[in-house]
């Protein structure tokens, strides 16, 4: 089965993606990972993407779609995949329909006020990348591994609001697009542990597609 994971920045897509991919034996395909891999291998399309990234520009939709289309031809995608971060807009969704059949779209709805608090209060370990929230740290400034905790530059109110605005304008319309296709699967993100949400996702996917 081919799945798409949708959700605003900070909705917990990364954590859910790992658990979904593991349970259903699907390759977790992130556009960011694909870009980095192609750039590392210095492929033709990777060098093209790098030329935009180095200028601080967004990689054009045509290039992004071409990279994803190529990735879906790999052997590990024969039985399906989990797309995370793609499509980001209607153009990409329409192009995706030309080279892949989407069976389900896991959409994580979450209140934007909660996302603002979650992202602005996030602290990340410089060593291992583990994330924390200031509400649980009690003044702690180091990770369990001993690494220093810091706040990412983009985890500030102005930048977070801008990211959420971009999501609303570009990505949220995909919900309507896939709802009309009858493949949207809606879930509500909360402050509960990620495992609680995954149990709901797993139940729905098991019933719809079987384990």
């Amino acid at each position: 089965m081919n799945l798409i994971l949708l959700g605003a920045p900070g909705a917990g897509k990364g954590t859910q993606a790992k658990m979904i991919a593991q349970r259903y034996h699907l390759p977790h395909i992130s556009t960011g990972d694909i870009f980095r891999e192609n750039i590392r291998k210095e492929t033709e399309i990777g060098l093209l993407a790098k030329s935009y990234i180095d200028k601080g520009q967004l990689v054009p939709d045509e290039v992004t779609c071409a990279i994803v289309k190529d990735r879906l031809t790999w052997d590990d995608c024969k039985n399906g995949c989990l797309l995370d971060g793609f499509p980001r807009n209607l153009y990409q969704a329409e192009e995706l329909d030309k080279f892949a059949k989407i069976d389900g779209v896991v959409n994580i709805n979450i209140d934007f006020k909660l996302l603002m608090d979650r992202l602005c209060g996030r602290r990340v370990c410089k060593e291992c990348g583990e994330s924390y929230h200031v509400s649980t740290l009690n003044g702690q400034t180091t990770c369990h591994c001993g690494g220093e905790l810091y706040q990412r530059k983009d985890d500030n109110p102005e930048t977070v609001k801008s990211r959420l605005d971009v999501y609303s304008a570009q990505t949220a319309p995909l919900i309507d697009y896939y709802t009309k296709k009858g493949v949207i699967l809606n879930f509500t993100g909360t402050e509960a542990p990620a495992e609680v949400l995954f149990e709901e996702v797993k139940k729905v996917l098991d019933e719809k597609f079987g384990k």
Side-chain angles (χ1 to χ4, degrees), residues 120-132:
C120 294
R122 179 167 59 182
R123 298 295 182 269
V124 182
C125 175
K126 288 185 176 180
E127 299 297 326
C128 71
E130 181 77 19
S131 292
Y132 296 84

Side-chain angles (χ1 to χ4, degrees), residues 21-143:
Q22 181 177 7
R23 176 170 177 79
Y24 299 100
H25 308 292
L26 298 172
H28 173 205
I29 298 177
S30 160
T31 49
D33 291 342
I34 300 175
F35 285 146
R36 285 186 286 272
E37 182 67 9
N38 276 271
I39 291 171
R40 185 184 68 80
K41 292 182 176 179
E42 297 187 339
T43 66
E44 181 179 351
I45 205 162
L47 292 174
L48 179 59
K50 187 174 186 296
S51 70
Y52 290 98
I53 294 171
D54 286 348
K55 296 174 186 175
Q57 301 173 350
L58 291 175
V59 178
D61 286 337
E62 294 83 355
V63 178
T64 301
C65 291
I67 285 181
V68 173
K69 182 178 180 179
D70 174 74
R71 177 64 180 85
L72 296 186
T73 65
W74 293 17
D75 287 343
D76 63 345
C77 292
K78 285 182 177 179
N79 296 318
C81 66
L82 174 62
L83 290 169
D84 178 10
F86 182 91
R88 287 190 181 276
N89 54 49
L90 289 176
Y91 174 85
Q92 292 183 359
E94 291 167 350
E95 288 299 302
L96 176 61
D97 283 343
K98 297 176 181 178
F99 56 84
K101 178 183 180 295
I102 300 304
D103 302 297
V105 178
V106 175
N107 176 46
I108 304 174
N109 293 300
I110 190 166
D111 185 86
F112 276 14
K113 289 182 179 179
L114 176 58
L115 288 181
M116 286 288 291
D117 175 72
R118 180 182 291 181
L119 293 175
C120 294
R122 179 167 59 182
R123 298 295 182 269
V124 182
C125 175
K126 288 185 176 180
E127 299 297 326
C128 71
E130 181 77 19
S131 292
Y132 296 84
H133 191 273
V134 291
S135 62
T136 66
L137 288 174
N138 296 318
Q140 178 184 342
T141 58
T142 57
C143 175

Side-chain angles (χ1 to χ4, degrees), residues 16 20 24 106 108 187 196-206:
Q16 293 302 317
I20 292 171
Y24 299 100
V106 175
I108 304 174
F187 300 91
V196 174
L197 175 57
F198 178 64
E199 286 301 316
E200 296 179 23
V201 173
K202 180 174 67 174
K203 180 180 178 181
V204 171
L205 292 180
D206 282 355

